[in-house]
Every structure is written in C-alpha cells, then in structure tokens.
C-alpha cells in the first residue's frame, strides 16, 4: 500500500485567518514551525500527529507520548493509525480539528478551547454516525501492510522534525494529565521501587512521642513553675464575707477553659458579697485586666494580691516605653510617696461619679456641706479645685479615727488641726508627715523583702477594686468594727477612697 498526494484545506477559526489550500503527501501537525498545521501550545509536541491518504482513505497517526491525540473523544494509541471519516473531530491539546470531505480534499476546521485536556472532549461534539472502522485496518486490507507503509512514510518526517525517541517498554502508555512540556513521565515498575524499611516508621514514632513529652513538660514548667497559692488551693471559703462564689480547690479548669478567657473567668468567680471584680475607668481604657496585675503558679505562700504591687511600678515608670491607649505613664509623685497637693494645686483627680454614688448617704451629705463651706474659704476660686478639696476633706474629717499619736477632736476623730498647724497661710508641710500614719503598707507575705511594713505603697492610697468591701478599713472609721486594734498594721491598709 502506497500513500498518495492529497489536497488539504485548513480553516483556522482560532486565528481568524483566510483558509489555506495546499497539496502534500502527508499533513504534519505539531508545535514545530516546519509542520504544515502549526498548533502553538505547550501541551502540543513538536511533531504531534500526522494525516495522510492511502487508497482513498485518510488516516491519522499519533506520535505524542506525553499529551496524546483523541479521535471523537477516544485516545489514539501511540504510534498507531486510525481511519478518518467525514465529520470526525480530532483533539490535540486544547485544539479541536473538525474534519469534512470535500470531493477529493480533506477540510480541517481548527478551533480552540482553553483548559481542556485530551480525553475531556468526549460529549462536546456530535459523534459521526458512519460505521466505525477498526484501528489499523482499511476495509479488509491487511493491518500489517498499512502499518508498515505508514511507518516508512513517517519515519523520515520524524527525523526531520527532530523527534528521534522510540517507545520504551518502561514508558507509561497512558497520556499525561499535566499540561506543558516540563514534566517527567517515566514511572518505574514496582520491582524497581525500593520500599521503606518498617524500622523507619518505628523510629519516627519513638522520636515524635519523645519530642511530644519534652514539649509537654517544658510548656507546663514555663507557665506553671510552682504550685498555685494556698487561697486558690483551699476546698472551702475562709474569708468572711466571701470574696468568691466558690472555692477553687486547685482546679485548673476554673481558670483555664476553651470557651472563655482568663479575664472572664476571674471576673465571673469574684462576684460575691465581700468582693466584686471591678477596675477603674482609667485602667479599663488602657486595656488593663485581672491578669495584667495578678499572676499565679508562684508557690503556695505566694499572694497574688500583694504581687500586684510590683506591677504598679512596672507600668508606672518613666523607663517604660509602652503606651496605654496612646499615652505613656511615668513615675508617679516624682518617685516618692506624694501628698495630693503640688505647687498649691490638687494633683488628686477626685473620685469617679460611680464611686460617689456607692457612698453612704451621710458621706454624700457631708460632701454637700463641705462644698458650701469651701466657698467661704480664702482659697476659693477654681470650681474644680474646690470640688477636689471638698471631696478630700469630706472623706477624712469627723469620721476617721486619730491613731498613732495624731491629734484629734474630743471624739478621737480627725479634724482640720490634725494635719494643718496653721491656716493663714495654709500649712501644707505637716500633712506630708501625717498621711503615712494611716496610709501605711501591708507586710507583704512573700514580698516582705520588697515591701517594708508600716511604709506607704501604691494601694495604701489608691483603690483599684472599688467594690471590695474588705478594703474599706472599717477599723479606722469612727464607730467601726469592734474588737480590732487600731494600730494593727494588717488592718491599716486604707486610703482616701476607702474612708
């Protein structure tokens, strides 16, 4: 069987060019410019396929080992021929070749669909109704004679196109599903693959378990270097009135949960008769919460309440570069314990409105009387200064006991002359020495080497938890709790906002 010179009509609908007619003994299809039908796409081989005529029939020959060629949605075998019928559709990469017989010529209309691979075109086109001719045969012709004739014809064309590779027994016969030329299609058979030794999996499991154990111990030690404090380890509430809703009993899940954070858990537990977890508005605006000041897992004798004193000076420090709400906080009172008047003006900002609303009615009435009296003072002027002065004196005068050798009135209460030796001009030197008598420090428990007993500290003047009833220093108030020594240092943790 001999191949014949045939007429081909190429219609490039994908390029929108005029149809081209030429005569050739074979139509080379591929990416190479030497091909008669150039399909420029990475998924198309240099010489991808060929079409020629023999004894009045056209045959397509597939040369691509990577992308493949499909006839009516069915992949053509490598290095084999398929007979073409009128209306067939050949798919090469994203290109579709619609074939029509026009007399003795073969018309090829080329279209392109992006992101379509060989083998996916089935169902996209209408299949021809002509009776199929078996692959490699031509109406009773011997298949071997046809194969030999086509091989002889295309062997020279393949060498001209630089396609010298031959089929390897180890080469995969199925076309690659990956587009492009940068791919590796050779896959060894199972007898050439070296299996992983089972010992690798055993040692890998041992290493993973060992690292997990080390990580668990290191993580626990980093966050819990010591047991929790004894107040959080008790099985019953001892403080009266209670400062928590229920005892913790060394439970981890009381504070650490998946559904809620530490802040929410602390605040929800400390909602009791003797204590309500609240913070000042200034700290709320700065984003300061419970865990910002109170820490745990420092030992059974550790006192989280006393430890919060260290965090005060950690933030309120000129050397602290961190900002809170866009503002920096410096060292208070110039680094010393301060009297709330500086350069003749009140540095104390007064109490928040919500704090005054919680005060007893007699204190609020005393404040109103003090404001009326302050209007007659020689220093009357700035209303804000008058307000702060009235609040300060309403919290102290005629309701706080005079202790530690301080001079009081006949009822033993603080009076104006307790702190001021003269009023014209006003004596502001003596109060600096008398304030520390009441506003002394807590012995400090574990931090006794840091906090000196009977010395002022931050919380001896400033109250954070304004609804903590146990912080109001009832033993220092006139008519307060009986049975408590007025000079007991543990009961003298009071402040101007606690009276």
């Amino acid at each position: 069987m001999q191949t014949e010179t045939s007429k081909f009509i190429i219609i490039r609908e994908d390029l929108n060019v005029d149809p081209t007619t030429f005569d050739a003994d074979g139509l080379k299809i591929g990416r190479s410019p030497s091909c008669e039908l150039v399909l420029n796409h990475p998924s198309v081989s240099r010489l991808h396929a060929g079409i020629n005529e023999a004894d009045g029939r056209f045959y397509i020959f597939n040369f691509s080992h990577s992308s493949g060629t499909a006839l009516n949605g069915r992949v053509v075998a490598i290095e084999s021929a398929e007979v073409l019928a009128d209306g067939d559709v050949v798919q090469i990469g994203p290109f579709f070749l619609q074939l029509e017989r026009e007399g003795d010529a073969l018309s090829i209309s080329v279209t392109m669909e992006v992101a379509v691979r060989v083998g996916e075109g089935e169902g996209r086109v209408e299949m021809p109704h002509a009776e199929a001719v078996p692959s490699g045969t031509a109406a009773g012709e011997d298949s071997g004679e046809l194969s030999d004739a086509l091989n002889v014809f295309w062997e020279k064309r393949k060498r001209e196109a630089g396609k010298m590779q031959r089929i390897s027994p180890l080469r995969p016969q199925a076309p690659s599903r990956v587009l492009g030329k940068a791919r590796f299609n050779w896959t060894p058979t199972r007898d050439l693959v070296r299996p992983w030794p089972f010992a690798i999996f055993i040692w890998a499991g041992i290493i993973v378990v060992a690292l997990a154990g080390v990580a668990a111990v290191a993580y626990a030690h980093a966050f819990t270097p010591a047991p929790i404090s004894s107040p959080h380890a008790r099985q019953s509430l001892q403080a009266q009135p209670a400062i928590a809703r229920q005892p913790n009993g060394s439970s981890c899940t009381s504070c650490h949960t998946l559904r809620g954070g530490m802040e929410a858990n602390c605040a929800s537990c400390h909602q009791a008769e003797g204590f309500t977890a609240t913070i000042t508005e200034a700290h709320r605006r700065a984003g300061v919460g419970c865990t910002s000041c109170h820490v745990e897992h420092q030992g059974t004798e550790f006192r989280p309440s006393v430890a919060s004193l260290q965090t005060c000076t950690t933030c309120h420090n000129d050397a602290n570069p961190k900002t809170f709400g866009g503002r920096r906080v410096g060292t208070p009172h110039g680094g010393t314990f301060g009297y709330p008047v500086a350069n003749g003006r009140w540095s104390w900002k007064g109490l928040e409105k919500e704090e005054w609303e919680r005060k007893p009615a007699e204190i609020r009435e005393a404040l109103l009387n003090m404001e009326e009296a302050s209007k007659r003072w020689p220093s009357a002027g700035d209303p804000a200064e008058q307000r702060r002065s009235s609040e300060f004196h309403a919290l102290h005068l005629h309701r706080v006991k005079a202790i530690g050798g301080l001079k009081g009135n006949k009822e033993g209460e603080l009076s104006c002359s307790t702190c001021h030796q003269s009023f014209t001009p006003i004596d502001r030197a003596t109060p600096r020495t008398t304030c520390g008598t009441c506003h002394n420090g807590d012995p400090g428990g574990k931090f006794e080497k840091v906090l000196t007993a009977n010395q002022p500290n931050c919380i001896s003047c400033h109250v954070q938890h304004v609804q903590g009833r146990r912080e109001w220093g009832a033993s220092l108030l006139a008519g307060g709790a009986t049975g408590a020594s007025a000079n007991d240092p543990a009961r003298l943790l009071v402040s101007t906002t606690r009276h």
Side-chain angles (χ1 to χ4, degrees), residues 146-276:
L146 172 63
S147 178
D148 293 340
L150 292 177
N151 283 329
V152 171
F153 175 83
W154 287 112
E155 192 66 31
K156 180 180 178 181
R157 279 114 182 124
K158 288 165 58 178
R159 288 195 298 269
E160 292 173 352
K163 196 175 186 69
M164 299 299 294
Q165 63 186 40
R166 303 296 298 176
I167 299 177
S168 169
L170 295 180
R171 192 178 187 90
Q173 299 302 309
S176 173
R177 309 298 291 179
V178 183
L179 298 179
K181 300 297 292 182
R183 51 188 163 228
F184 183 69
N185 295 313
W186 183 83
T187 302
T189 55
R190 184 61 186 171
D191 59 324
L192 298 180
V193 176
R194 181 180 180 182
W196 286 17
F198 188 72
I200 293 181
F201 298 96
I202 297 178
W203 280 107
I206 294 175
I207 294 174
V208 169
V209 172
L211 292 178
V214 173
V217 173
Y219 181 87
H221 182 74
F223 290 93
T224 60
I228 60 175
S229 59
S230 55
H232 278 164
R234 294 168 184 159
Q235 300 295 328
S236 61
L237 298 174
Q238 295 186 1
Q240 295 298 328
I243 64 173
R245 298 172 59 182
Q246 59 187 13
N248 186 64
S250 298
S251 173
C252 298
T253 56
S254 298
C255 301
H256 305 280
T257 60
L258 295 176
R259 296 184 178 180
M262 287 282 294
E263 299 291 337
N265 294 334
C266 289
S268 62
C269 182
H270 290 284
Q271 297 286 334
E273 180 184 359
F275 180 81
T276 301

